[in-house]
């Protein structure tokens, strides 16, 4: 039911076909985030049109509102959202960190104060799996704690060991065979702790693995060595999901290091703030320059916004606070990231990935290609 077939590789970078119960996807891929059962402002038809393959839903938010029972009454997230393709749900573990002032962690689980009404919510490994089974995603996450950055070595070690114990409880209660459960590798930016997390987690032999605990505030000079260490320690024949990562430069560097799946709110959140993503960096539609520019955001982009609208018109919509503006920028930004992974897949298949990635970086980084990016490409190229 969950088959992962590598079709081409270039160093650590690879193109693969990943079969799920609701269809086959091609990796590397970016997953739009539908936190509350919707990718903000974007319809399912539009998601298909821009090339989305799998959508992420948020366990914590959906269990609070409308509740997993209502989602299950629609047949799960595909019926609830009218998006018929594959879904992935997180476990709620990220909220352990992001709601730090509103929660208490014990061995049993986490007690939250709801951000909606202040009521106490008890989220345990068992409850997380129960909710995710009701949501009906194809891929579900083991319940974990995502430590903040910075954190002491002692804290991160205790946290990852508790995450492994929670993983065992998740496996004990999981009942649906049509859902793949991914454990989450933790350890922060410490390679010794990453090695411990790998050692304790690999024997589970799941359908795939997630790399967690990164993109939480650490500098990229620390983040990408941790990504490189993690992918090097994971099985070659299983998909690797780098959680919460979605900046263009991070996708290219992550793909070079062998990451297959990414997700982030970045493209849609950036669109709502009035920014458009391009190979030359972000365009600020709030600034004066786009107001008189009659070309599309990106001449090479095939999204609806680029085929129909000028930068001047989109800048007008943003200034006038018309909802079409943020919608079109979000749509374009999603298409940009999907096109970026499509181009990366083509380059891997053609044997030109590393030269393509370096050429892309030369145009994207205005102040010179940073060392962390060059090192990620070098590591991915030479340490296959």
């Amino acid at each position: 039911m969950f088959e992962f077939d590598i079709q081409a590789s270039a160093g650590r970078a690879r193109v693969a076909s990943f079969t799920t119960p609701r269809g086959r996807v091609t990796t590397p891929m970016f997953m739009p985030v539908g936190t509350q059962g919707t990718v903000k402002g974007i319809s399912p038809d539009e998601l298909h049109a821009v090339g989305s393959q799998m959508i992420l839903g948020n366990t914590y938010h959906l269990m609070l509102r409308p509740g997993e029972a209502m989602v299950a009454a629609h047949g799960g997230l595909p019926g609830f959202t009218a998006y018929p393709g594959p879904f992935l749900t997180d476990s709620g573990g990220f909220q352990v960190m992001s709601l730090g002032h509103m929660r208490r962690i014990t061995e049993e689980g986490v007690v939250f104060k709801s951000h909606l009404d202040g009521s106490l919510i008890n989220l345990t490994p068992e409850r997380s799996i129960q909710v995710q089974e009701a949501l009906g995603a194809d891929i579900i996450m083991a319940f974990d704690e995502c430590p903040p950055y910075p954190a002491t070595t002692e804290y991160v070690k205790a946290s990852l060991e508790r995450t492994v114990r929670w993983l065992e409880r998740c496996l004990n209660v999981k009942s649906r065979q049509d859902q793949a459960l991914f454990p989450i590798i933790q350890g922060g930016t410490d390679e010794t702790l990453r090695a411990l997390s790998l050692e304790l987690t690999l024997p589970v032999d799941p359908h795939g693995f997630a790399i967690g605990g990164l993109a939480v505030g650490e500098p990229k000079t620390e983040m990408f060595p941790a990504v490189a260490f993690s992918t090097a320690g994971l099985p070659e024949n299983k998909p690797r999901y780098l959680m919460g990562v979605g900046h263009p430069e991070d996708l290219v560097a992550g793909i070079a290091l062998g990451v297959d799946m990414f997700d982030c709110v970045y493209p849609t959140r950036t669109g709502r703030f009035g920014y458009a993503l391009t190979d030359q960096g972000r365009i600020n539609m709030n600034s004066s320059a786009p107001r008189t520019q009659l070309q599309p955001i990106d001449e090479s982009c095939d999204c609806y916004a680029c085929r129909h609208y000028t930068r001047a018109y989109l800048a007008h919509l943003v200034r006038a606070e018309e909802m079409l503006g943020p919608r079109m920028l979000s749509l374009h930004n999603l298409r940009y990231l999907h096109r970026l992974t499509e181009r990366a897949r083509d380059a891997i298949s053609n044997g030109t990935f590393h030269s393509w990635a370096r050429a892309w970086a030369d145009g994207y980084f205005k102040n010179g290609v940073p060392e962390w990016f060059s090192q990620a490409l070098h590591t991915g190229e030479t340490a296959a």
Side-chain angles (χ1 to χ4, degrees):
M1 189 179 298
F2 295 96
E3 297 179 358
F4 186 72
D5 177 35
I6 298 174
Q7 300 167 337
S9 61
R12 286 195 195 174
R14 67 259 192 97
V15 174
S17 173
F18 183 29
T19 303
T20 77
R22 291 193 180 88
R24 186 172 59 209
V25 299
T26 304
T27 65
M29 68 172 178
F30 175 80
M31 298 179 289
V33 175
T35 300
Q36 304 196 72
T38 178
V39 178
K40 290 189 187 302
I42 309 299
S43 73
D45 283 348
E46 290 171 323
L47 289 172
H48 279 294
V50 297
S52 301
Q53 299 187 77
M54 183 180 292
I55 307 300
L56 183 141
N58 185 282
T59 294
Y60 166 80
H61 285 281
L62 291 170
M63 69 180 279
L64 293 185
R65 183 175 57 191
E68 72 274 15
M70 180 55 66
V71 178
H74 289 76
L77 281 168
F80 186 59
T81 66
Y83 180 86
F87 273 85
L88 179 149
T89 45
D90 65 8
S91 68
F94 181 74
Q95 275 68 41
V96 175
M97 180 195 71
S98 63
L99 299 176
H101 62 294
M102 301 170 64
R103 53 85 171 137
R104 178 170 54 88
I105 305 172
T106 68
E107 183 65 25
E108 178 62 20
V110 184
V111 177
F112 294 90
K113 277 189 177 180
S114 167
H115 71 286
L116 298 177
D117 60 12
S119 61
L120 291 180
I121 307 295
N122 188 24
L123 188 55
T124 64
E126 293 81 6
R127 176 74 174 126
S128 174
I129 297 301
Q130 176 192 23
V131 173
Q132 292 186 81
E133 290 194 336
L135 296 177
D138 301 76
I139 300 170
I140 65 176
M141 294 294 116
F143 189 58
D144 70 320
E145 180 192 354
C146 178
Y149 179 89
T152 65
T153 298
E154 292 74 20
Y155 184 97
V156 177
K157 183 174 186 292
S159 171
L160 77 85
E161 290 174 338
R162 181 167 52 240
T163 288
V164 171
R165 294 192 293 272
W166 284 354
L167 169 61
E168 183 176 352
R169 288 165 58 186
C170 289
L171 292 167
N172 286 339
V173 299
K174 181 180 180 294
S175 62
R176 290 185 58 162
Q177 298 304 308
D178 60 341
Q179 292 180 311
L181 186 146
F182 283 20
I184 301 174
I185 304 301
Q186 292 288 354
T189 58
D190 187 314
E191 289 189 0
T192 301
L193 296 181
R194 288 263 157 196
L196 176 61
S197 183
L198 286 163
E199 175 188 346
L200 296 174
T201 306
L202 287 176
V204 171
D205 192 29
H207 292 292
F209 292 87
I211 301 168
L214 297 173
V216 292
E218 77 281 0
K220 293 183 183 183
T221 53
E222 295 183 27
M223 172 183 167
F224 278 95
V227 173
F229 185 85
S230 300
T231 56
L234 289 170
E236 182 73 14
N237 63 340
K238 303 288 179 72
R240 304 159 180 162
Y241 163 33
L242 181 56
M243 305 180 75
V245 170
H247 288 227
E249 64 271 30
D250 297 344
L251 265 63
V252 177
I255 290 168
L257 293 171
V259 175
D260 306 296
M261 303 163 62
F262 303 84
D263 85 281
C264 195
V265 298
Y266 178 73
T268 48
R269 178 175 288 171
T270 300
R272 295 196 304 277
F273 290 163
Y275 291 88
L277 304 180
T278 77
D279 278 356
Q280 288 72 47
R282 298 194 312 182
I283 299 173
N284 183 0
M285 292 296 174
N286 298 287
S287 65
S288 59
R291 297 174 191 173
T292 57
Q293 294 175 345
L294 303 185
Q295 71 264 41
I297 298 169
D298 184 343
E299 296 278 3
S300 65
C301 182
D302 57 2
C303 78
Y304 187 93
C306 287
R307 286 186 289 111
H308 292 85
Y309 302 131
T310 64
R311 293 182 183 183
Y313 178 66
L314 293 169
H316 158 68
L317 294 178
V318 170
R319 293 181 68 204
E321 298 184 353
E322 288 287 345
M323 67 175 66
L324 182 62
R327 264 193 14 88
M328 288 296 100
L329 294 177
S330 297
L331 192 74
H332 165 79
N333 289 346
L334 287 173
R335 181 59 187 145
Y336 177 78
L337 292 189
H338 291 323
R339 286 179 58 238
L340 190 63
T341 57
E342 289 166 9
R343 287 185 285 164
R345 294 198 298 262
D346 288 343
I348 295 167
S349 299
N350 295 333
T352 60
F353 173 74
H354 295 96
S355 60
W356 169 83
R358 290 187 174 94
W360 176 86
D362 286 340
Y364 183 80
F365 292 106
K366 293 182 174 62
N367 299 316
V369 179
E371 177 60 27
W372 68 263
F373 184 90
S374 297
Q375 185 58 51
L377 290 191
H378 177 74
T379 299
E381 185 174 18
T382 59

